[in-house]
């Protein structure tokens, strides 16, 4: 959780450049997009996130699962 809090703070105060901070964070571009959506637009269901990101429900669910996985 501390890692996500730090990332949230970074997203609020800076932009993540492709190949720069994002690469060092170990997160994929879709993971960053999902987190950015949560930070800027607030909490959401997987269905709402899928709509926000223009992704399928199953793709969005997979991104969420990987972010929640131990060691992430």
């Amino acid at each position: 959780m501390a890692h996500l809090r730090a990332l949230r703070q970074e997203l609020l105060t800076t932009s993540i450049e492709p190949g720069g901070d994002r690469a060092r964070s170990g997160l994929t571009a879709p993971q960053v997009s999902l987190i950015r959506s949560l930070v800027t637009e607030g909490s959401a269901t997987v269905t709402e996130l899928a709509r926000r990101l223009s992704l399928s429900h199953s793709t969005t669910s997979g991104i969420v699962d990987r972010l929640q996985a131990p060691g992430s």
Side-chain angles (χ1 to χ4, degrees):
M1 280 308 274
H3 179 69
L4 287 177
R5 281 190 207 100
L7 181 59
R8 178 184 184 277
Q9 184 60 38
E10 184 175 337
L11 286 170
L12 287 171
T13 58
T14 63
S15 63
I16 295 179
E17 298 297 325
D21 293 334
R22 183 183 56 78
R24 285 190 298 275
S25 75
L27 297 172
T28 65
Q31 288 171 329
V32 171
S33 294
L34 187 142
I35 293 168
R36 184 182 308 263
S37 174
L38 291 171
V39 168
T40 60
E41 299 181 49
S43 63
T45 65
V46 172
T47 300
E48 291 167 335
L49 286 168
R51 181 188 47 77
R52 286 181 193 176
L53 300 172
S54 300
L55 297 171
S56 71
H57 186 278
S58 62
T59 297
T60 305
S61 178
I63 295 168
V64 170
D65 288 346
R66 285 185 292 283
L67 286 169
Q68 290 179 324
S72 294

